[in-house]
Amino acid sequence: MKKYGTVYKRARSVNLVDGWLERYNEFKEFEPRTIDVLGIENERLIMPNIGTDGEDYLPLAKCVFNSSKIDNGIEFTHNAVAQYFSILSSIFDFQKRLPDDELFLHDDLHANNFVVFTNGKVILIDPDSFTTIKVPNKKYKYSHLHQMTHGFMTIMMGLQRTYDSIGEK
């Protein structure tokens, strides 16, 4: 639902535990390429409507697969993908700031949850997918991060196959 340039999104309430907004804003300060959350009201996130200024944007997945809405060539796409991985890297780096028994991770990190604007800016959306995960100790914390790294490597291989197929045309 849109109202006065804002969007109200029903949040996954399981993730919105006490302190969620404060932790999210702490991450947002660390990594500004994430959507703003202006507040929480009745388990709904209040966010700016990113489409109000008339600038076109697409999910990263469509940008990578050469959509006509934003088609600024391979360099534009390369920059968008580089920002995607930079944001992922920031998520990993942010974990170092947390207690050893805690993670704050986005559990839906697919390319449709990153949007690319015509000016090349990329932002991570779907903020209610960030969740605090308690782990028994530092060993389990880094084991969990290692599993996520494997998933990112799979994404990278898929993107490489896409680049290869573009180069063959």
Side-chain angles (χ1 to χ4, degrees), residues 123-140:
I123 65 168
L124 172 59
I125 60 172
D126 195 26
D128 59 315
S129 289
F130 271 99
T131 186
T132 298
I133 301 169
K134 291 290 189 179
V135 293
N137 58 43
K138 196 173 195 173
K139 175 184 172 187
Y140 286 95

Side-chain angles (χ1 to χ4, degrees), residues 1-2 15 30 34 51 54 63-64 66 87 104 112 115 123 129-130 147:
M1 174 191 331
K2 298 175 184 175
N15 291 351
F30 183 78
T34 54
C63 178
V64 169
N66 205 18
I87 294 168
F104 188 68
N112 284 320
V115 295
I123 65 168
S129 289
F130 271 99
Q147 290 174 7

Side-chain angles (χ1 to χ4, degrees), residues 88-96 145-146 148-149 152:
L88 295 179
S89 179
S90 291
I91 293 171
F92 277 88
D93 289 344
F94 183 72
Q95 306 313 306
K96 297 173 191 172
L145 292 173
H146 175 74
M148 287 186 63
T149 302
F152 297 149

